[in-house]
Amino acid sequence: MSVTNNLEPTSTFFQKHFHSIIHSIELDGTLFSEEQTQICQAFLLQQSTFEESLAALKQTPSEPLTIEKVRTMLSQPRYRTYFSTTDFNEYKHIERLLILKRLMELIDVEIYRNQAAGTYIQQMHAFIYQDLYPWAGTYRKARRTRGHTYFLLPGLIPEATRDFSLELEIMAAHYFPTKQEFIKKYAPLVKELHFIHPFTKGNGLASRALFRKIAMHHGYHLYYQRIKESVYMQGIEDCKTDFIESYLSQSILNEQADQQLIKATALKRKKDKK
């Protein structure tokens, strides 16, 4: 599987997607310094191996550790990875490299309805985190809250995500000639998926990756923009439709549907299904 259609680091294609993905990851609190960004870029361009890149990242300034972070790392199942590390910063560096790689691959990968593989969001999560977590794509079993937000009860998640997938399929048949029409229809789905919160970890990143693919299907170039994590999380946690619409509007570059992108996406899906 190729990482991108054009691996030249100076190409517009690579830079736009690469920085959009960096910004998407940063919205979950994993920040990239300029040095770390360059190391990750070299890894994606196959200019350095995973081991070399990880060693280089470990030489960069580390995130300050707190007692809470150490306890979380050692005790919570969501941090149990395929890698036997109890070093929080090493874990974050491993996560940076592997998730970036899979998110770049997603540019060329389509997700289809497949009952055996799970719902759309389930397949997306499984793809992104397949190298990191044994439970990638598995719905959470415990109740979750964040601030004053109470997420959907675990027992209701399978049915809710199936219904969500059906909503996506219905919407996929529609044509949205302008960016604002597209955003008005999809902003409520962003809120809905946030409330379902199907996984123990990685909900935000998986949902942003999914909506990026949806935007491409409808002819819109969605490149996530850098904003403060606290601002983004507050807007999402409060499920403010106006915030979601505003952020999507900033992140979608074209005002009208790109017919060439729609045709290219449809053609690729047709070829993949053969």
Side-chain angles (χ1 to χ4, degrees):
M1 182 186 298
S2 62
V3 176
T4 67
N5 293 323
N6 188 340
L7 286 177
E8 290 299 322
T10 56
S11 72
T12 302
F13 178 88
F14 179 88
Q15 291 298 331
K16 279 186 176 180
H17 285 283
F18 176 67
H19 288 290
S20 172
I21 289 170
I22 290 285
H23 298 160
S24 181
I25 295 173
E26 288 186 326
L27 290 175
D28 285 340
T30 300
L31 302 181
F32 288 74
S33 67
E34 184 61 35
E35 184 180 4
Q36 289 168 343
T37 300
Q38 291 174 0
I39 293 168
C40 290
Q41 178 172 287
F43 170 66
L44 291 177
L45 294 167
Q46 301 175 0
Q47 295 171 352
S48 60
T49 65
F50 172 79
E51 291 76 14
E52 291 168 342
S53 302
L54 180 58
L57 285 172
K58 289 168 73 172
Q59 297 301 312
T60 62
S62 299
E63 181 181 342
L65 287 179
T66 64
I67 295 297
E68 286 305 313
K69 284 181 180 177
V70 173
R71 285 176 180 168
T72 297
M73 182 72 191
L74 295 175
S75 64
Q76 292 194 15
R78 63 178 177 160
Y79 287 104
R80 291 174 192 160
T81 72
Y82 287 120
F83 299 86
S84 56
T85 179
T86 55
D87 183 324
F88 188 85
N89 283 305
E90 183 179 31
Y91 156 77
K92 296 301 287 185
H93 295 323
I94 291 171
E95 185 182 57
R96 278 186 177 93
L97 292 172
L98 297 181
I99 290 176
L100 261 172
K101 178 177 180 290
R102 291 303 183 184
L103 286 171
M104 287 298 283
E105 287 178 347
L106 265 176
I107 297 168
D108 288 330
V109 172
E110 292 296 333
I111 302 296
Y112 301 104
R113 186 178 184 184
N114 184 333
Q115 290 184 344
T119 61
Y120 290 120
I121 189 63
Q122 201 171 14
Q123 292 181 64
M124 189 68 71
H125 190 275
F127 185 88
I128 294 170
Y129 291 101
Q130 61 183 290
D131 306 307
L132 200 59
Y133 299 121
W135 47 266
T138 303
Y139 294 139
R140 61 181 166 87
K141 303 297 183 183
R143 295 187 179 190
R144 289 289 303 277
T145 63
R146 185 182 294 155
H148 56 266
T149 302
Y150 289 79
F151 299 121
L152 192 66
L153 293 174
L156 301 177
I157 290 174
E159 183 179 359
T161 53
R162 284 194 297 270
D163 290 344
F164 181 81
S165 289
L166 289 174
E167 287 184 79
L168 292 183
E169 290 181 9
I170 292 170
M171 297 287 278
H174 290 252
Y175 171 62
F176 303 103
T178 68
K179 175 170 73 173
Q180 290 309 314
E181 289 178 81
F182 171 75
I183 290 172
K184 284 289 183 184
K185 288 292 184 180
Y186 274 96
L189 293 181
V190 175
K191 290 172 58 176
E192 181 180 343
L193 188 55
H194 174 70
F195 172 68
I196 296 172
H197 213 75
F199 309 106
T200 302
K201 187 180 187 296
N203 291 279
L205 199 57
S207 64
R208 287 190 292 275
L210 176 61
F211 281 107
R212 195 153 170 254
K213 299 296 286 185
I214 291 169
M216 290 176 64
H217 171 81
H218 287 286
Y220 291 100
H221 301 270
L222 174 56
Y223 297 106
Y224 291 107
Q225 302 300 303
R226 174 173 279 154
I227 63 171
K228 286 186 178 180
E229 176 211 355
S230 58
V231 174
Y232 176 81
M233 291 306 299
Q234 189 64 54
I236 293 295
E237 292 300 329
D238 292 344
C239 286
K240 295 178 178 177
T241 303
D242 57 345
F243 170 80
I244 295 171
E245 290 181 358
S246 174
Y247 184 65
L248 287 175
S249 184
Q250 293 174 40
S251 300
I252 294 176
L253 302 187
N254 48 319
E255 294 295 328
Q256 296 182 324
D258 183 338
Q259 299 300 323
Q260 289 187 333
L261 181 59
I262 292 174
K263 290 177 182 178
T265 304
L267 181 61
K268 186 178 188 314
R269 291 175 70 88
K270 186 176 180 180
K271 286 181 178 178
D272 286 349
K273 286 184 176 181
K274 287 183 178 180

